[in-house]
Amino acid sequence: MKPTDIAAPDYFHKVVDCQWACPAHTPVPEYIRLIAEGRYSDAYMINWKSNVFPGILGRTCDRPCEPACRRGRVEENPVAICRLKRVAADFKDDVKHRMPRPVPKNGKRVALIGGGPASLAVARDLAPLGYHCTVFDQDPKAGGMMRTQIPKFRLPDSVVDEETDYILDLGVEFKGGHRIDSLKKLLAENYDAVFVGSGAPRGRELNIPGRKEAAANVHIGIEWLSSVSFGHIDKIGKRVIVLGGGNTAMDCCRTARRLGGEDVKVIVRSGFEEMKASPWEKDDAMHEDIPILNFMVPKAFVHENGKLTGVTFEKVRAEYDAKGKRSLVPSGEPDQTIACDDVLVAVGQENAFPWIERDIGIEFDKWNMPKVNETTFASTHPKVFFGGDAAFGPKNIIWAVAHGHDAALSIHKLLSGEDISERPLPEVHISSQKMGIHEWSYDNDISGASRFKVPHRDKAIALRDIKAEVELGYDLKLALGEAERCLNCDVQTVFNTPLCIECDACVDICPMDCISFTQNGDEDDLRGRLKAPSPHHDQALYVSTDLKTGRVMVKDEDVCLHCGLCAERCPTGAWDMQKYLIEMTHAGSTCPSKVRSAA
Amino acid sequence: MTYIAKPKFQHPGLPKNDLGYTRRDYEGKISTLCAGCGHDSITASIIEACFHLSIEPHRVAKISGIGCSSKTPDYFLGNSHGFNSVHGRMPSVLTGANLANRDLIYLGVSGDGDSASIGFGQFAHSIRRGVNMTYIVENNGVYGLTKGQFSATADRGSKSKKGVTNADSAIDLVAIALQLGATFVARSFSGDKTQLVPMIEAAIKHKGAAFIDVISPCIAFNNHAGSTKSFDYVREHNDAVNRLDVITGREPITVDYAPGTVQVVEQHDGTRLALRKLDADYDVHDRLAAMTFLQKHAAKGQVVTGLLYVDAESEDLHDRLNTVDAPLNTLAAKDLSPGSAALDKINASLR
């Protein structure tokens, strides 16, 4: 293998699995260390800069970082990254004075359609640069789906208010209750750029027999959730069936339990394991006495005298073809009818752009989705950009934020007369962590603790009050314990070949057998000859240049604890522990862009 | 010296031996030696060898004297018996323990100061008596604990870190061991685990006095230009006569060797040593030739490594003394005091 180019910013970024997996690339270990130090405000600001909504995401994020977390490969559970983010938000001091100050306007106007996370992220990046940002939303308050579709018992209004206000206070104009019905008309108002962050606002229908007749008691999940959010709906029947296996279904069933639903069931087509809902959201639902029945396909709504009485299901089982593709085939068991008073349909969301005229230069594909560049988020209209669920269909908040940053960068480049396809490299700060012979400026003593549980409100109380937040968040003691589980993957093992005398000290001390000194070879060959098995080929091998004996140093990054013992035992300082703080370059950074080289 | 304990986490795919242990289960406390010390590599090699052989840690007695090397038994086999004895007295303590309980595996760990100076006599007598043991000298040519004075194994003409030339002749422990009748004699280098690990395995499996001299560079005081025990010097002058594979159990030798290049030596317990010859003329069973070979190559400044001599028909101290087969602590009063009838019989035979 060729020697690893550690100067390529992606190489060490990938080693920080959580940050690499995060769509917004939040420097996770950096803020977790700050939490451990008790510097909650600093931890909050790192998050705020990167993911814009730390308090909201600390409660609701889909947390792609956690399945990626190295700790999950070392022991049973990853670090509770998401809930530590909430700790930063919960325990910070007043941070208003740390927010960017409103600046004189630069005369350029940007319209943002939809007041959800994508648009707000764009506004957050552009407003401090002097752009006049106008956010339009059909609802009176900013926040979009974060405010209307996520139940208050998961995300209190106060948190949404606080974090949307930080953005609006940057001098962003918010036009609530203002629905955009024509993009053509909006473009005619001579905005310099338009960002479409209108989400995926339409709940998918379930057109099976009886749908029309039973319409009064069959509700579309996301619409029903927003009605609950606005207080238009405050009760539901005693027996409720929720159809669908995603996170919206979990929100629906738990909301139903709080509005009078006593016998609430979630019924899904697929198997329990393949459900789209996050495992922890399923756990929370089941904890509230909501059974999840699987392999049942809804066949018909049963009704009597115009009133819903139940749903009939066909029982199926999964069959896999030679390619591993699953199909659901009838199991041969008799159909089952389950009695109920109400049904909530949460079988997916769709985009809808009836308000975008098809003759204004925005091309749509065969699925009726706009053609959007995945890097620049530009549409085929030079002034119009898309992001969030509006760009590529339903995802989640953190993706919307990431899209927002990228779209803001494009808009800023466009309006500065630059080429939007040229993207800047991330900013990387490198610093050795060595303080003394065996002292490091980070805590390298690895905690053996298992993942700490987040305390929940007593179930009986939680179910009585739809606004009572269920998760209480970590207290400071639990937060410290959890923070110490982080392996500091951003403190990198950096190898300096000319200093190495091949004494094997690092090989002998490494608790995870990551390091081997061996003859070079191609990757598969090398992986087969390492000191410990190397099953995860997506985890990089760090290969040195040739050593004096003609061998190379090969480090499998896979399960490195970043404990620094290799550097402690190295007599010549060939190993050093260096912190690579990698931050994405957002709009307005002065960092010169270079051609990005692959790691 | 490291202040934190080595994390308990281990690689999830670490192999297990016949006893269900991983290599990590053979570790001891974290080393307090200087960073990069060759001794730590020997420690790692002992751990690896015991893991490979599926040795039950509680069947091992590790015994040492005083010095950097003699500290190391604390860093391996944390669940074994240990005795950190007086300076240079490891061989006597080991001999006594061995006589009392012949069932344990004896690992004597010593250094060049411990064995070539203060304990030179002890070393000599344990070897000539054929005590069943693995005697490892972690040889760095200096007194590391007292800041790097030449030890008795420092080569004449080699330079100290301060630039002083050693005027005294060196003791070659391998040559002495050969002369004193050791039945397994080897030399290796801490920087070459592929050679050292099987060598330790073979020595453990050997019945009788097995002696291994391991050159182990002292990073702090003896790893400079002019030293003959530095990483660079040993790597440049290493003349390995053979490479070793240890085959336990009945498995056939599956490694594919070129014909005529392998010599198989079967030991008492059935363990076979497959020696890959690097020097075609070297005969591992010829004690006299080995001594000559060593002297000739030493004169040329070469460091001869490998399994230098092995006697497959070796015997040990217990054979020579015709001792009882069982460990002494298993002998009950009945065995030790057969009664007056037996005494009368003995007395009668002597009249």
Side-chain angles (χ1 to χ4, degrees):
Chain A
M1 286 178 79
K2 278 190 189 150
T4 302
D5 177 15
I6 59 168
D10 280 357
Y11 181 75
F12 280 137
H13 189 173
K14 267 186 189 164
V15 174
V16 195
D17 288 300
C18 48
Q19 188 177 0
W20 183 254
C22 175
H25 303 301
T26 302
V28 175
E30 177 74 359
Y31 81 72
I32 291 185
R33 273 191 302 275
L34 291 170
I35 290 170
E37 279 178 53
R39 292 167 58 188
Y40 309 109
S41 302
D42 293 337
Y44 184 85
M45 290 313 293
I46 284 183
N47 271 291
W48 190 79
K49 188 174 164 193
S50 163
N51 55 50
V52 190
F53 304 105
I56 294 170
L57 288 166
R59 290 166 168 84
T60 62
C61 189
D62 201 43
R63 26 177 147 156
C65 51
E66 291 191 21
C69 172
R70 174 163 283 110
R71 184 99 187 183
R73 297 196 296 277
V74 169
E75 55 139 321
E76 215 174 324
N77 286 307
V79 176
I81 300 168
C82 180
R83 276 14 180 195
L84 284 171
K85 191 191 307 292
R86 174 176 170 176
V87 166
D90 283 357
F91 293 98
K92 68 181 186 304
D93 303 319
D94 187 355
V95 291
K96 269 194 194 117
H97 62 284
R98 301 178 65 157
M99 297 294 166
R101 304 278 150 87
V103 293
K105 298 288 180 226
N106 64 11
K108 303 234 165 76
R109 294 160 63 238
V110 180
L112 304 123
I113 304 170
S119 289
L120 291 176
V122 174
R124 204 289 304 268
D125 284 358
L126 293 183
L129 303 176
Y131 291 95
H132 185 106
C133 298
T134 309
V135 179
F136 299 94
D137 198 283
Q138 61 181 14
D139 295 328
K141 290 175 99 176
M145 58 71 66
M146 303 189 291
R147 188 185 291 280
T148 60
Q149 285 171 23
I150 299 177
K152 306 300 170 207
F153 57 84
R154 284 180 58 210
L155 178 61
D157 265 337
S158 57
V159 181
V160 182
D161 287 342
E162 179 191 334
E163 294 193 332
T164 50
D165 280 351
Y166 288 145
I167 297 163
L168 300 184
D169 289 349
L170 299 171
V172 173
E173 186 185 5
F174 180 73
K175 292 199 169 173
H178 189 128
R179 197 186 162 87
I180 300 294
D181 291 317
S182 162
L183 185 59
K184 197 182 221 170
K185 243 198 238 165
L186 189 76
L187 283 169
E189 290 175 37
N190 280 327
Y191 284 98
D192 295 287
V194 173
F195 176 78
V196 181
S198 54
R202 191 180 280 175
R204 192 172 285 152
E205 245 320 331
L206 185 63
N207 284 318
I208 54 173
R211 171 71 181 93
K212 269 188 204 136
E213 294 84 341
N217 294 97
V218 177
H219 319 278
I220 297 297
I222 57 168
E223 289 166 15
W224 182 79
L225 284 173
S226 2
S227 299
V228 173
S229 169
F230 288 115
H232 304 323
I233 289 177
D234 59 4
K235 57 178 181 293
I236 195 162
K238 282 203 167 109
R239 297 168 305 167
V240 180
I241 291 176
V242 177
L243 299 175
N247 287 334
T248 304
M250 298 304 114
D251 286 342
C252 284
C253 66
R254 296 178 68 194
T255 302
R257 278 288 277 138
R258 287 159 172 78
L259 295 183
E262 285 168 12
D263 171 15
V264 180
K265 291 185 184 74
V266 172
I267 303 181
V268 296
R269 291 161 47 93
S270 69
F272 180 82
E273 297 301 327
E274 300 103 72
M275 284 170 64
K276 282 199 180 134
S278 313
W280 52 89
E281 297 212 11
K282 293 197 274 187
D283 289 345
D284 288 345
M286 290 186 292
H287 177 71
E288 292 177 355
D289 312 314
I290 299 163
I292 298 176
L293 312 179
N294 62 359
F295 290 126
M296 291 170 76
V297 178
K299 241 175 129 175
F301 294 107
V302 189
H303 51 92
E304 259 172 45
N305 309 323
K307 175 137 178 51
L308 177 81
T309 58
V311 183
T312 303
F313 294 92
E314 178 182 43
K315 298 216 169 173
V316 294
R317 61 189 163 81
E319 243 178 40
Y320 296 88
D321 67 10
K323 283 180 187 159
K325 200 182 164 214
R326 189 203 65 175
S327 52
L328 296 171
V329 296
S331 71
E333 294 164 82
D335 289 350
Q336 189 181 356
T337 299
I338 298 179
C340 67
D341 303 314
D342 281 289
V343 170
L344 298 171
V345 179
V347 294
Q349 275 169 257
E350 285 167 349
N351 290 82
F353 299 105
W355 51 278
I356 298 182
E357 291 79 358
R358 297 303 193 255
D359 62 350
I360 54 174
I362 297 180
E363 285 177 37
F364 282 75
D365 63 16
K366 59 181 171 181
W367 298 283
N368 226 358
M369 287 292 285
K371 288 186 178 170
V372 178
N373 182 300
E374 287 183 24
T375 312
T376 63
F377 292 86
S379 71
T380 49
H381 186 293
K383 281 186 180 176
V384 180
F385 296 81
F386 283 73
D389 289 359
F392 307 117
K395 278 186 174 167
N396 46 54
I397 304 172
I398 189 66
W399 275 107
V401 171
H403 292 177
H405 284 312
D406 280 330
L409 186 68
S410 300
I411 293 170
H412 179 56
K413 278 180 162 286
L414 174 77
L415 302 186
S416 310
E418 292 172 27
D419 178 3
I420 65 167
S421 66
E422 210 174 273
R423 312 303 283 187
L425 290 169
E427 215 176 298
V428 185
H429 301 267
I430 306 163
S431 53
S432 173
Q433 301 296 291
K434 202 173 174 80
M435 302 278 282
I437 292 180
H438 299 296
E439 273 183 280
W440 306 97
S441 57
Y442 72 107
D443 180 12
N444 65 330
D445 200 356
I446 304 297
S447 159
S450 302
R451 182 170 167 131
F452 291 90
K453 279 208 167 71
V454 177
H456 281 209
R457 193 181 298 278
D458 179 76
K459 190 162 78 181
I461 299 168
L463 288 178
R464 271 203 300 272
D465 179 1
I466 195 164
K467 290 198 171 166
E469 193 173 8
V470 174
E471 282 197 17
L472 301 175
Y474 285 131
D475 60 25
L476 290 184
K477 198 168 157 234
L478 290 171
L480 178 61
E482 189 60 33
E484 283 181 330
R485 295 182 68 237
C486 174
L487 297 174
N488 299 293
C489 299
D490 61 341
V491 181
Q492 307 287 354
T493 54
V494 178
F495 186 72
N496 187 347
T497 310
L499 292 178
C500 178
I501 57 168
E502 302 177 64
C503 69
D504 271 5
C506 51
V507 179
D508 296 335
I509 197 68
C510 177
M512 304 307 278
D513 295 292
C514 301
I515 304 168
S516 306
F517 285 79
T518 184
Q519 299 302 322
N520 207 341
D522 63 37
E523 184 169 345
D524 284 347
D525 167 43
L526 264 184
R527 282 192 189 270
R529 288 192 279 117
L530 301 182
K531 200 167 171 237
S534 178
H536 299 127
H537 287 212
D538 53 329
Q539 289 286 319
L541 294 183
Y542 182 177
V543 182
S544 76
T545 49
D546 284 354
L547 290 152
K548 236 180 186 174
T549 58
R551 300 181 297 174
V552 286
M553 184 290 300
V554 186
K555 183 197 164 208
D556 187 351
E557 300 281 8
D558 188 12
V559 289
C560 169
L561 300 176
H562 297 255
C563 63
L565 284 178
C566 48
E568 285 200 15
R569 301 302 301 177
C570 180
T572 61
W575 284 108
D576 190 23
M577 301 306 290
Q578 297 181 2
K579 185 170 89 181
Y580 274 61
L581 179 59
I582 300 159
E583 291 185 287
M584 292 302 108
T585 306
H586 296 152
S589 167
T590 51
C591 205
S593 58
K594 289 182 201 142
V595 178
R596 197 185 179 92
S597 60
Chain B
M1 149 139 196
T2 294
Y3 300 125
I4 64 166
K6 186 163 169 173
K8 290 268 184 288
F9 290 122
Q10 61 179 37
H11 194 290
L14 220 51
K16 290 184 172 159
N17 65 13
D18 294 345
L19 300 173
Y21 294 136
T22 69
R23 185 198 305 124
R24 293 291 303 276
D25 294 317
Y26 289 86
E27 288 181 350
K29 290 188 189 134
I30 199 161
S31 168
T32 57
L33 298 172
C34 307
C37 182
H39 296 1
D40 286 334
S41 289
I42 302 172
T43 293
S45 301
I46 293 172
I47 289 169
E48 190 78 27
C50 292
F51 162 77
H52 277 170
L53 294 177
S54 295
I55 287 173
E56 295 170 300
H58 69 282
R59 302 308 299 161
V60 178
K62 39 178 193 172
I63 299 169
S64 64
I66 295 295
C68 297
S69 55
S70 291
K71 289 172 73 179
T72 63
D74 203 21
Y75 315 141
F76 57 82
L77 299 178
N79 292 313
S80 296
H81 307 281
F83 197 121
N84 192 187
S85 77
V86 190
H87 205 353
R89 271 56 188 163
M90 176 276 281
S92 320
V93 175
L94 191 151
T95 305
N98 186 307
L99 282 171
N101 185 352
R102 60 188 297 173
D103 275 3
L104 296 182
I105 293 165
Y106 289 92
L107 211 51
V109 177
S110 183
D112 40 323
D114 203 51
S115 281
S117 292
I118 190 167
F120 197 36
Q122 303 258 326
F123 155 73
H125 291 292
S126 68
I127 297 285
R128 61 176 268 279
R129 283 175 176 144
V131 180
N132 187 13
M133 63 180 172
T134 299
Y135 192 131
I136 297 175
V137 168
E138 306 189 348
N139 184 358
N140 58 19
V142 288
Y143 297 131
L145 280 183
T146 54
K147 305 213 164 175
Q149 300 84 354
F150 290 117
S151 81
T153 61
D155 288 310
R156 185 181 183 136
S158 66
K159 280 204 174 107
S160 75
K161 196 176 181 182
K162 297 256 170 174
V164 180
T165 303
N166 182 28
D168 301 336
S169 300
I171 293 174
D172 182 356
L173 291 171
V174 161
I176 308 279
L178 279 169
Q179 200 202 330
L180 293 172
T183 46
F184 181 109
V185 180
R187 177 149 51 211
S188 189
F189 168 46
S190 70
D192 185 0
K193 286 205 193 75
T194 49
Q195 183 189 49
L196 179 56
V197 173
M199 200 176 273
I200 296 172
E201 290 173 28
I204 289 173
K205 286 289 176 185
H206 180 77
K207 181 185 180 184
F211 179 78
I212 309 177
D213 178 34
V214 188
I215 298 172
S216 173
C218 174
I219 293 291
F221 298 110
N222 206 6
N223 193 38
H224 46 266
S227 158
T228 56
K229 295 208 166 29
S230 65
F231 277 108
D232 285 351
Y233 184 90
V234 179
R235 285 200 171 109
E236 274 162 35
H237 298 83
N238 192 341
D239 180 21
V241 294
N242 49 38
R243 292 265 161 186
L244 192 60
D245 291 310
V246 178
I247 297 128
T248 53
R250 299 239 174 86
E251 318 142 39
I253 297 173
T254 49
V255 192
D256 197 14
Y257 300 112
T261 58
V262 170
Q263 182 182 9
V264 177
V265 181
E266 186 159 338
Q267 304 217 85
H268 278 268
D269 65 347
T271 311
R272 282 160 297 166
L273 310 180
L275 282 167
R276 276 171 287 157
K277 288 188 163 189
L278 300 176
D279 186 322
D281 299 329
Y282 194 85
D283 180 2
V284 78
H285 296 311
D286 188 338
R287 189 185 292 272
L288 210 63
M291 292 165 79
T292 314
F293 187 90
L294 273 173
Q295 298 284 338
K296 276 188 180 163
H297 284 74
K300 286 192 265 181
Q302 281 166 329
V303 183
V304 177
T305 61
L307 177 54
L308 304 173
Y309 175 76
V310 63
D311 177 0
E313 302 300 315
S314 59
E315 52 170 27
D316 79 336
L317 179 61
H318 286 280
D319 295 335
R320 295 178 196 171
L321 296 179
N322 193 24
T323 55
V324 62
D325 286 342
L328 301 188
N329 62 1
T330 62
L331 300 178
K334 191 165 62 72
D335 306 314
L336 297 170
S337 174
S340 53
L343 180 64
D344 291 345
K345 213 173 149 187
I346 292 168
N347 283 340
S349 74
L350 297 171
R351 285 202 176 96

